[in-house]
Amino acid sequence: MWPETAPGRQVRPRERVDGLAITMIGHASVLIQVAGLNLLVDPVWSERASPFQWIGPRRVNRPGVAFDDLPPIDVVLLTHNHYDHLDVGTLRRLWAAHRPRILAPLGNDRVVAREVGPLPVETGDWGQTIALGPAVTACFHPAYHWSARRLGDRRMALWCGFVLRTPQGPVYIAGDTGYGDGAIFRDVRRHHGAPTVAILPIGAYAPRWFMKQQHCDPAEAVRILADCGARQGLAVHWGTFPLSDEERLAPPKELAQALAREGLGPDRFKALEPGDVWTAP
């Protein structure tokens, strides 16, 4: 069972951060502040993760940052076009308020043009790297997932994760992904080095017979942490939108159990609630 409302606080981020700070907005939406740049990943401020705002999964907690309290947004990173990641209403608001660069995997520029408007979207294939600033780049990295906005366009646009190269070390954003054979996660370390931090999904995994190929569960997320060699894990994709069969608090509970089985402390991989902020030491 999911509650009608859930805990969550709202914070006001600093305008710029020289180091590295990551603020949880909710679900898969995070604000990454690094080397003076402000990046939003899969921003969703709408009430529902749905093509309609009168039906579909409704958020149970407020975004961790009020929209009007956002710092200047330089870049939006879109991992794929499912409604809980590519939100039309939020993209329109961000474009009107901030005019950010928008990066997305191949084909999603057409989705944005069709549903949001003629916004400039920079697209890339897996393995392609785009400079975001003098000291930060974003590499499109594979994910075990899929895409669709409507009937008939399944897998017609690409999906991805991102690896950010920053002065604070690599930042790995897995996006939505199953575990598969784990090869793509080992490739993160092989091609980019062990991440300073990995932002990994832990929710929307039940029932396993249906979700396994597209969403990892908490135990698999711990395997991803080990495969990529990240020094810190931050868990997202849980606790905001009821998208699957597990209870709201099941993902962090199972994450804690999986860490304990591997002999890892709870601080090594933190399940973020809206308004939580992680700062690189």
Side-chain angles (χ1 to χ4, degrees):
M1 293 290 293
W2 276 61
E4 287 292 319
T5 60
R9 62 194 181 106
Q10 289 190 317
V11 296
R12 186 189 294 268
R14 287 180 285 167
E15 184 166 311
R16 300 287 177 183
V17 172
D18 291 332
L20 171 61
I22 298 174
T23 302
M24 179 60 160
I25 305 301
H27 191 57
S29 305
V30 295
L31 169 67
I32 300 176
Q33 297 182 279
V34 62
L37 288 176
N38 295 327
L39 293 73
L40 277 177
V41 180
D42 291 344
V44 179
W45 263 260
S46 292
E47 185 70 10
R48 296 182 185 270
S50 168
F52 312 105
Q53 286 304 297
W54 52 272
I55 194 171
R58 186 184 66 82
R59 70 187 317 132
V60 300
N61 41 33
R62 297 182 301 170
V65 177
F67 188 88
D68 290 339
D69 288 340
L70 281 170
I73 300 302
D74 303 300
V75 181
V76 170
L77 301 175
L78 301 175
T79 63
H80 65 295
N81 64 22
H82 286 154
Y83 288 99
D84 56 323
H85 295 260
L86 194 163
D87 179 57
V88 168
T90 299
L91 286 179
R92 286 176 178 155
R93 293 178 71 187
L94 285 168
W95 183 252
H98 299 273
R99 289 293 196 271
R101 293 175 66 185
I102 303 172
L103 271 62
L106 293 173
N108 287 285
D109 53 337
R110 294 191 295 274
V111 176
V112 172
R114 183 180 67 237
E115 300 190 23
V116 183
L119 309 187
V121 179
E122 301 171 63
T123 60
D125 199 355
W126 292 343
Q128 184 173 345
T129 296
I130 294 179
L132 304 184
V136 179
T137 64
C139 179
F140 295 81
H141 192 75
Y144 297 126
H145 202 56
W146 56 287
S147 65
R149 293 289 281 185
R150 55 188 182 180
L151 294 176
D153 71 346
R154 186 181 176 94
R155 297 181 180 269
M156 297 299 289
L158 193 61
W159 53 95
C160 74
F162 290 96
V163 180
L164 306 179
R165 295 280 190 99
T166 85
Q168 301 295 318
V171 176
Y172 175 40
I173 305 156
D176 275 13
T177 187
Y179 181 77
D181 61 3
I184 62 173
F185 311 117
R186 295 186 289 273
D187 282 345
V188 170
R189 177 166 17 188
R190 183 176 300 115
H191 297 307
H192 303 280
T196 298
V197 60
I199 301 169
L200 306 176
I202 63 167
Y205 56 80
R208 290 312 286 150
W209 66 266
F210 181 66
M211 292 293 190
K212 185 174 180 60
Q213 301 305 315
Q214 55 199 323
H215 289 158
C216 63
D217 64 18
E220 290 169 329
V222 172
R223 292 177 67 186
I224 294 171
L225 185 77
D227 286 345
C228 72
R231 295 195 292 275
Q232 176 69 55
L234 300 178
V236 299
H237 205 266
W238 74 278
T240 292
F241 295 111
L243 300 175
S244 54
D245 286 354
E246 77 270 10
E247 294 183 357
R248 178 180 180 271
L249 293 178
K253 289 178 181 177
E254 294 187 23
L255 176 64
Q257 294 166 357
L259 290 169
R261 286 195 298 270
E262 298 299 322
L264 300 173
D267 287 343
R268 177 70 187 282
F269 194 172
K270 299 180 178 181
L272 297 182
E273 291 269 21
D276 286 349
V277 181
W278 178 84
T279 303

